[in-house]
Amino acid sequence: MRRKLAAGNWKMNGLRADLAMLETLRAAHEGCAVDLLICPPLPLVAAAAEACAGSAVAIGAQDCHPEDAGAHTGDTSAPMLADAGASAVILGHSERRADHGETSDLVRAKAQAAHAAGLVAIICVGESLEQREAQNTLDIIGGQLSASIPDTATGENTVVAYEPCWAIGTGLTPTSEQIGDVHDFIRARLERRFGAGGGRSIRLLYGGSVKGANAAEIFAVSNVDGALVGGASLKADDFSPIINALADEAKAS
Ligand code: PGA
């Protein structure tokens, strides 16, 4: 049984004053039936982890360097994130692939570093609109999966997030059928590579314009174990309905 996960990606948003949202979130969802994770920008990770210590809300980061330490100005390593109180890290988000030219090989090296540091690697994959229109979605996703996920992946240390680039921050979402097709494909690929037990234990999140209004429909899709939420994770009032929809789905399934 995979435990469901609602993960918030704050991206480059949030100042210390915004950490107050975490208090609202933990108070509203203590004892919640699903796992909760917030990934704030790096300067807030340690304070967020302190604020959420002992609560249902875990804290993650949005990137790490593949090496543990060294001459890499401006970068942060996986052991540093763990030391700051993070338990997870988002890797290979399409904004990092696009803005920083991150390749799947680099994402895999980062995921290996995350695993070695005891962090859960949330590995993102997703097609562009052009790729979908050219009917290349599954080829693209398949290639990203094999190159981005390291052999060290298990259900405990890895989560895969399917985020179609064209759905991120746009208000557009794929149909339930489109989401189901990709999630079933990812599940089959994971089972082929890691065996039925291993492949079935890795959680699959959907991400891209998830809101309170569409969450229940998305969570009802097969092989959707939760969501990676950007914009709607910034305010407790927007994130809570998504968490509640996921908790309802967890109880029903
Ligand atoms: P969005 O972002 O929910 O704002 O579309 C999702 C993401 O990029 O993780």
Side-chain angles (χ1 to χ4, degrees):
M1 223 354 224
R2 296 181 297 270
R3 205 172 140 83
K4 299 199 183 286
L5 169 63
N9 171 14
W10 282 11
K11 309 190 179 186
M12 200 172 72
N13 297 291
L15 300 172
R16 275 188 292 176
D18 298 301
L19 292 174
M21 175 273 196
L22 297 174
E23 188 48 47
T24 316
L25 206 63
R26 63 180 282 182
H29 300 286
E30 215 52 72
C32 180
V34 304
D35 288 345
L36 303 178
L37 175 73
I38 293 284
C39 301
L42 188 57
L44 298 181
V45 165
E50 235 164 80
C52 293
S55 84
V57 183
I59 297 302
Q62 300 172 15
D63 180 44
C64 72
H65 194 277
E67 288 171 32
D68 285 355
H72 301 288
T73 302
D75 279 316
T76 305
S77 73
M80 290 171 185
L81 297 178
D83 187 52
S87 56
V89 59
I90 298 169
L91 296 172
H93 190 281
S94 61
E95 286 153 14
R96 293 211 57 89
R97 290 179 189 259
D99 297 355
H100 299 272
E102 289 198 7
T103 62
S104 290
D105 286 341
L106 178 61
V107 174
R108 185 175 72 251
K110 291 179 174 199
Q112 253 159 346
H115 291 163
L119 298 174
V120 173
I122 301 177
I123 299 174
C124 303
V125 296
E127 82 286 3
S128 67
L129 190 56
E130 296 71 45
Q131 290 164 339
R132 176 161 283 277
E133 284 173 350
Q135 306 197 332
N136 285 333
T137 298
L138 297 185
D139 279 350
I140 295 295
I141 303 292
Q144 289 175 340
L145 288 173
S146 22
S148 306
I149 301 178
D151 292 334
T152 45
T154 67
E156 276 83 54
N157 68 18
T158 301
V159 171
V160 174
Y162 168 54
E163 299 204 309
C165 306
W166 50 274
I168 295 176
T170 58
L172 300 172
T173 46
T175 63
S176 294
E177 198 189 341
Q178 287 172 323
I179 295 174
D181 285 348
V182 176
H183 279 241
D184 290 351
F185 171 81
I186 296 174
R187 178 68 66 213
R189 280 297 171 100
L190 293 174
E191 287 183 20
R192 196 170 83 185
R193 177 160 168 201
F194 296 103
R200 257 177 231 158
S201 65
I202 295 175
R203 291 182 285 185
L204 307 186
L205 306 183
Y206 168 78
S209 297
V210 178
K211 313 241 170 309
N214 61 18
E217 190 185 336
I218 291 169
F219 295 149
V221 176
S222 82
N223 278 313
V224 172
D225 302 311
L228 181 54
V229 183
S233 72
L234 294 171
K235 293 199 181 102
D237 281 353
D238 294 332
F239 200 29
S240 277
I242 297 173
I243 296 168
N244 291 336
L246 190 60
D248 287 346
E249 181 61 37
K251 280 180 216 138
S253 56

